[in-house]
Structure formats: structure tokens, C-alpha cells
């Protein structure tokens, strides 16, 4: 898959998997990742599907209506690619934390819904419920941040609450941050995600290094 890999200064820090929104590219979330975890290596992957020339991670039939067959196929493709990238760049496949926005948050959510240990944690900016009717793997000890807008016309608050509850039922530790905003990714949401990362991911890396 088309991607950028940047080696970080701290080989023990989680590798951040960056997943852009519809029409974005693998460059979009690089500045945000530097804010969240400046010493982490970054793997930023471009979606393999084009919708009217706009990159995405899976097809949709209409706004908010996903092509589930393609979603499942593309989720497997990305999951396999992560294994290949770990071998190519020499990072620990089990130490990946995703940061996704919109369509990128939805494929990250789909990785969590379909594969045990696909991600060690995730920051999901404006995600939807990627698919319904699947039994989730055990997500115990998986910290997940959800950033949501209470006026988001694409990811309704009701869907955010459904996603939170589905992930919690699988054992994940979910924190939801609400913005008085729509679908856009605001600076204050990025700051909230960075603070959450320090507490829930970076803090646990330091503690395990000490113990
Ligand atoms: C999606 O298709 O994944 C969501 O509707 C968000 C978007 O990309 O617009």
C-alpha cells in the first residue's frame, strides 16, 4: 500500500498508524502525530480505494452507507499489510496505535471489530460504527479515545454512543471527548487526544519500563 514510514527517536514507543479522511493522503496526519507522540515512529498509509478520485480505505454505497463486503476485504488487506510493514521496517507488530480521522477512523474501528490484537490502542476522530452484527474480539486492556462533535452531521451523537457501548462491551477502555462542533477536526480535540495519549499510552509505556 502507498505509505510513508518515519523512524522515531524512541524504539520502545508505540508506532503510530495514521489513517486519513476521505480525499486525504498519507501526509495529512503527520503534523498531528508529531503533536501526540513526537518520539514515535510513524506509518501513514493511503487508502487503496478511489471515490471520484478521492482516496478512501473502503467503498461506500452512499454517504454513511458502507459496502460491507469491501469493508471486510479492505480491513483484511490493511491488517496483512501491517504485518508486512512490521517485517520491512523492523517494528513490533503488537505495538501499533492507530490515529484515524473520519474514513480513517472507520477502518481503524473495523480493524478493532475484526482482529484481536490488531491495535494496542486507538485514537478515533469522528468515527462511525463500521459494521453491525459481528462478534467483536476481546478488547480488554485496549485504550480507545473517541473524538466526536455534538453537531456532526456525518457521525451522529447517537452513533458515537452506540460505538462507545459496543467497544466497552468487548472490554475496551473507552474515553469519549465531545466538541461543540461538526465533523471537522478541531485543535482542541487534537489537544484532548494528546493529553489522553500521555495518560493512557505513554504513561503505561513508562510504567512498564520501570517495573
Ligand atoms: C465514511 O464514509 O467513512 C464516513 O462517511 C466518513 C467520510 O469519509 O465521509
Amino acid at each position: 500500500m502507498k505509505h510513508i514510514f518515519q523512524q522515531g527517536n524512541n524504539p520502545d514507543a508505540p508506532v503510530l498508524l495514521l489513517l486519513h479522511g476521505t480525499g486525504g493522503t498519507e501526509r495529512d496526519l503527520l503534523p498531528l502525530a508529531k503533536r501526540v507522540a513526537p518520539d514515535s515512529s510513524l506509518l501513514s498509509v493511503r487508502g487503496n480505494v478511489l471515490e471520484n478520485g478521492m482516496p478512501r480505505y473502503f467503498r461506500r454505497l452512499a454517504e454513511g452507507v458502507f459496502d460491507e463486503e469491501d469493508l471486510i476485504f479492505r480491513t483484511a488487506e490493511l491488517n496483512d499489510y501491517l504485518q508486512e510493514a512490521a517485517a520491512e521496517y523492523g517494528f513490533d507488530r503488537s505495538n501499533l496505535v492507530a490515529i484515524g480521522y473520519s474514513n480513517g477512523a472507520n477502518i481503524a474501528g473495523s480493524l478493532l471489530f475484526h482482529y484481536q490484537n490488531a491495535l494496542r490502542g486507538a485514537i478515533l476522530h469522528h468515527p462511525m460504527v463500521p459494521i453491525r452484527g459481528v462478534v467483536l474480539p476481546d478488547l480488554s486492556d485496549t485504550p480507545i479515545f473517541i473524538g466526536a462533535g455534538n453537531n456532526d452531521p456525518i457521525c451522529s451523537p447517537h452513533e458515537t454512543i452506540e460505538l462507545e457501548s459496543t467497544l466497552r462491551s468487548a472490554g475496551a477502555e473507552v474515553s469519549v471527548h465531545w466538541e461543540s462542533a461538526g465533523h471537522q477536526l478541531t485543535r482542541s480535540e487534537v489537544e484532548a487526544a494528546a493529553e489522553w495519549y500521555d495518560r493512557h499510552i505513554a504513561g503505561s509505556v513508562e510504567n512498564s519500563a520501570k517495573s
Side-chain angles (χ1 to χ4, degrees):
M1 295 181 79
K2 192 162 169 47
H3 66 278
I4 293 172
F5 179 79
Q6 289 181 358
Q7 183 70 53
N9 294 328
N10 181 353
D12 297 325
V15 175
L16 298 185
L17 169 66
L18 308 181
L19 301 162
H20 61 78
T22 298
T25 75
E26 65 280 13
R27 307 210 72 83
D28 291 7
L29 299 183
L30 295 173
L32 183 153
K34 291 280 178 214
R35 167 67 192 92
V36 172
D39 292 329
S40 274
S41 297
L42 309 177
L43 176 66
S44 191
V45 182
R46 187 185 292 198
N48 254 354
V49 164
L50 284 179
E51 180 186 270
N52 301 321
M54 296 185 297
R56 286 177 53 85
Y57 294 95
F58 56 89
R59 289 181 210 290
R60 60 181 165 182
L61 307 173
E63 175 75 54
V65 184
F66 300 157
D67 176 337
E68 292 191 351
E69 197 180 321
D70 192 58
L71 171 73
I72 291 166
F73 175 78
R74 298 291 171 189
T75 305
E77 180 182 58
L78 178 60
N79 194 47
D80 289 347
Y81 174 68
L82 297 176
Q83 193 70 42
E84 281 170 36
E88 183 179 352
Y89 295 112
F91 64 80
D92 176 0
R93 169 70 185 83
S94 65
N95 200 16
L96 268 180
V97 172
I99 303 183
Y101 168 60
S102 191
N103 183 244
N106 292 338
I107 193 85
S110 184
L111 281 171
L112 291 164
F113 270 45
H114 289 102
Y115 297 102
Q116 184 140 25
N117 305 323
L119 299 172
R120 168 169 168 206
I123 294 177
L124 307 177
H125 293 291
H126 301 261
M128 296 168 69
V129 175
I131 191 165
R132 293 182 173 81
V134 300
V135 177
L136 270 63
D138 180 4
L139 295 176
S140 300
D141 302 324
T142 307
I144 298 172
F145 172 97
I146 296 179
N150 55 18
N151 275 317
D152 190 331
I154 298 173
C155 312
S156 69
H158 149 91
E159 186 148 349
T160 302
I161 291 162
E162 181 187 341
L163 179 63
E164 174 188 13
S165 139
T166 306
L167 291 167
R168 280 221 170 110
S169 305
E173 292 165 27
V174 188
S175 310
V176 181
H177 169 84
W178 289 98
E179 289 278 309
S180 295
H183 195 60
Q184 74 273 27
L185 183 46
T186 60
R187 194 174 181 86
S188 53
E189 185 174 321
V190 173
E191 290 306 317
E195 280 166 28
W196 174 89
Y197 185 93
D198 282 346
R199 258 182 288 126
H200 294 264
I201 310 264
S204 70
V205 173
E206 275 168 30
N207 288 340
S208 62
K210 278 181 205 145
S211 59

